[in-house]
């Protein structure tokens, strides 16, 4: 008896543990649009490529800066002469420690400490140099300036890429929602067409329908079947592309909900945005201020203009002031002037200057062209919004018409003027137009979004 009681106790305990474990097993929640955006911005290949380029460039900048800091070198030398039996004369060795640093001002310093095996007393040397004429930046400073401008350019490219991906994902997400709705609608249409075919077959059997009616019904089934399968395939392929672009695994579950808070808030904000024609010039200037292509052109020009300035600053004459202090030298500190003059360089510098000037002119011409293209793009996007607004108005009227047709069909059904299948066809037509109306709203939303992307940064699209 006691054994049975203990057995029941253990069984109950095991059941409680199992129930507790099951309740604590949490399945991954479906991903809403806000979460999709977070994942996509982390995993998207295009964004990651730019981020990797930025990281590589930042490392290179740090490398240049490290090279501008103090450089310390230690060297040792030891030799033994053939007269190895004479310990005093047979060994010869030196140990040296050298410090060097070049400053942007043209000043360089190089302290050295060396010890020889003769008396093991240290010898101190300090070498100094100051460029007097002409003054041009160090090569490392030139490289640093160029790399920092390139980094600015890449950061602008990243910002534009993130906004571009955001608008693209919103369009793809809404398209998946509409495809899913169409898939359900076409499934209903297929079911209705199959029911209609059954009715036609019954009528044919009693002589109320002929071969033409039968063929028409069979054709309607085939068309509905094709439409359903094609939409299902389009939905699955669109979903795969969406997953691929966001960097999602196939195991992730996608929540398609146009009423999701993040998306709904953004859609409301964008839908309420109206462009004042009187502010077009101001908005276009904002667009120019964040355009990657224009900014990249400006950065490249700034680098070339600096390089041209440095080239023109160079001279055939170089004057450097030098100084040296050596503890082993009786004179102690010595000062000198180094003068050099390049008699002839074959016209190289003149050609280099002409090349830089030509490149700058080309970039200026390109900048003007890019500005014209941006203005044209701005105008086209505004025109597209107007077209989509007209299309939305048309769809709204058509939807109202479909609602009235469905109401009339309902009355006709009640009076026995039409059958159930005819009524359901009207109902499906109304649902089909409801999807078309939603797509028209989506198109207007995306058109406005694409225009806003020209002069709004990422924070606008992230709900800030």
């Amino acid at each position: 008896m006691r054994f049975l009681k203990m057995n029941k106790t253990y069984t109950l305990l095991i059941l409680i543990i199992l129930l507790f474990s099951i309740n604590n097993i949490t399945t991954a929640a479906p991903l809403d649009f806000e979460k999709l955006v977070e994942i996509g911005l982390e995993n998207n290949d295009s964004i990651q490529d730019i981020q990797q380029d930025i990281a590589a460039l930042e490392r290179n900048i740090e490398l240049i800066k490290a090279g501008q800091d103090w450089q310390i070198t230690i060297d040792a030398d030891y030799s033994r002469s053939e007269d190895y039996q004479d310990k005093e004369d047979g060994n010869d060795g030196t140990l040296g420690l050298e410090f060097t640093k070049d400053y942007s001002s043209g000043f360089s310093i190089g302290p050295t400490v060396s010890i020889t095996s003769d008396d093991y007393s240290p010898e101190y040397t300090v070498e100094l140099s100051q460029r007097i004429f002409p003054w041009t930046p160090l090569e490392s400073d030139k490289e640093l300036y160029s790399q920092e401008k390139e980094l600015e350019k890449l950061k602008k490219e990243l910002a534009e890429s993130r906004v571009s991906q955001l608008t693209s994902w919103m369009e793809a997400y809404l398209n998946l929602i509409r495809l899913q709705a169409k898939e359900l609608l076409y499934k209903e249409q297929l079911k209705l067409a199959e029911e209609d075919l059954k009715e036609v077959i019954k009528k044919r059997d009693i002589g109320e329908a002929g071969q033409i009616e039968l063929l028409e019904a069979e054709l309607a089934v085939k068309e509905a079947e094709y439409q359903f399968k094609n939409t299902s395939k389009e939905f699955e392929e669109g979903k795969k592309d969406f997953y691929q672009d966001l960097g999602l695994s196939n195991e992730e579950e996608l929540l398609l909900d146009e009423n999701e808070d993040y998306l709904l808030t953004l859609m409301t904000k964008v839908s309420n945005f109206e462009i004042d024609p009187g502010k077009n010039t101001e908005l276009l200037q904002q667009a120019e201020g964040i355009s990657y292509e224009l900014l990249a052109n400006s950065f490249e020009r700034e680098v070339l203009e600096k390089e041209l300035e440095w080239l023109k600053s160079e001279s055939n004459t170089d004057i450097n002031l030098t100084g040296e202090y050596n503890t082993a030298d009786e004179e102690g500190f010595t000062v000198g002037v180094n003068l050099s003059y390049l008699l002839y360089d074959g016209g190289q510098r003149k050609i280099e200057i002409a090349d830089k000037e030509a490149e700058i002119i080309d970039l200026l011409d390109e900048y003007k062209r890019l500005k014209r293209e941006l203005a044209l793009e701005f105008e086209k996007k505004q025109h597209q919004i107007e077209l989509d607004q007209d299309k939305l108005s048309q769809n709204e009227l058509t939807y109202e018409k479909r609602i009235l047709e469905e109401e009339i069909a309902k009355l006709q059904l009640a009076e026995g003027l039409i059958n159930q299948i005819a009524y359901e066809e009207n109902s499906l037509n109304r649902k089909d137009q409801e999807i078309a109306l939603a797509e028209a709203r989506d198109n207007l939303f995306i058109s406005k979004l694409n225009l806003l992307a020209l002069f709004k940064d990422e924070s606008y699209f992230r709900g800030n």
Side-chain angles (χ1 to χ4, degrees), residues 270-287:
V270 171
S271 298
N272 292 335
F273 180 81
E274 298 294 337
I275 294 178
D276 182 357
K279 293 185 176 180
N280 275 359
T281 302
E282 181 185 339
L283 294 176
L284 187 55
Q285 287 175 347
Q286 291 180 27

Side-chain angles (χ1 to χ4, degrees), residues 77-94 116-118 120:
D77 179 55
Y78 174 78
S79 63
R80 184 176 177 82
S81 67
E82 293 183 359
D83 189 11
Y84 59 88
Q85 291 180 350
D86 188 341
K87 293 183 179 181
E88 294 295 327
D89 298 330
N91 296 320
D92 187 19
T94 58
T116 63
S117 59
D118 293 337
Y120 296 102

Side-chain angles (χ1 to χ4, degrees), residues 246-263:
L246 289 165
L248 291 172
S249 65
N250 293 328
E251 289 75 26
E252 298 282 3
E253 186 179 350
L254 183 63
L255 176 64
L256 293 173
D257 180 14
E258 63 183 308
N259 295 316
E260 189 265 330
D261 289 342
Y262 174 91
L263 186 60

Side-chain angles (χ1 to χ4, degrees), residues 341-403:
Y341 183 81
L342 179 63
L343 292 174
Y344 183 64
D345 68 349
Q348 293 180 53
R349 192 157 65 90
K350 186 177 180 181
I351 294 171
E352 288 174 356
I353 289 173
D355 285 344
K356 294 293 181 190
E357 289 173 338
E359 287 183 67
I360 291 170
I361 291 171
D362 288 343
L363 283 173
L364 282 169
D365 291 339
E366 184 186 58
Y367 187 83
K368 293 174 184 176
R369 176 181 61 78
L370 289 171
K371 282 187 69 173
R372 290 194 300 269
E373 289 178 357
L374 181 59
L376 182 61
E377 184 182 2
F378 190 86
E379 185 181 336
K380 283 181 177 179
K381 290 186 185 300
Q382 284 185 306
H383 183 57
Q384 185 62 48
I385 289 173
E386 293 172 4
L387 291 176
D388 287 335
Q389 284 175 330
D390 291 341
K391 189 68 175 177
L392 176 59
S393 299
Q394 179 185 334
N395 274 276
E396 286 172 340
L397 291 172
T398 305
Y399 182 61
E400 290 178 12
K401 179 186 174 186
R402 291 286 183 265
I403 290 175

Side-chain angles (χ1 to χ4, degrees), residues 178-191:
R178 305 310 166 207
L179 284 172
Q180 188 180 57
K182 286 181 180 180
E183 186 180 23
L184 294 172
L185 176 66
Y186 295 151
K187 188 176 182 179
E188 286 184 56
Q189 284 185 341
L190 176 59
K191 182 180 178 182

Side-chain angles (χ1 to χ4, degrees), residues 392-410 425-427 429-434 437:
L392 176 59
S393 299
Q394 179 185 334
N395 274 276
E396 286 172 340
L397 291 172
T398 305
Y399 182 61
E400 290 178 12
K401 179 186 174 186
R402 291 286 183 265
I403 290 175
L404 289 173
E405 288 174 347
E406 185 181 13
E407 290 175 354
I408 293 170
K410 188 176 182 180
E425 284 177 350
N426 275 277
S427 180
N429 286 339
R430 191 262 307 161
K431 290 179 182 178
D432 187 35
Q433 183 55 38
E434 190 174 341
L437 178 59

Side-chain angles (χ1 to χ4, degrees), residues 7-110:
N7 202 12
K8 287 179 180 178
T9 302
Y10 285 130
T11 303
L12 182 61
L13 183 61
I14 291 170
L15 285 172
I16 291 171
I17 292 171
L18 285 172
L19 287 171
F20 182 79
S21 300
I22 291 169
N23 287 331
N24 280 277
I25 295 173
T26 56
T27 56
L31 300 172
D32 59 18
F33 187 73
E34 186 173 10
K35 185 61 178 175
L36 289 172
V37 167
E38 297 295 337
I39 294 172
L41 291 174
E42 288 291 327
N43 297 341
N44 179 259
D45 289 340
S46 299
I47 291 175
Q48 283 186 340
D49 287 345
I50 301 173
Q51 287 174 332
Q52 288 169 4
D53 289 342
I54 288 174
L57 199 54
E58 286 176 335
R59 289 193 298 270
N60 194 41
I61 288 172
E62 289 303 313
L63 186 63
I64 295 171
K65 289 180 178 179
Q68 292 178 327
D69 204 350
W70 282 99
Q71 305 297 303
I72 304 173
T73 306
I74 185 169
D75 61 78
D77 179 55
Y78 174 78
S79 63
R80 184 176 177 82
S81 67
E82 293 183 359
D83 189 11
Y84 59 88
Q85 291 180 350
D86 188 341
K87 293 183 179 181
E88 294 295 327
D89 298 330
N91 296 320
D92 187 19
T94 58
L95 178 66
L97 189 63
E98 181 180 3
F99 303 80
T100 57
K101 181 172 174 60
D102 296 325
Y103 292 88
S104 298
S105 61
F107 177 73
S108 63
I109 182 170

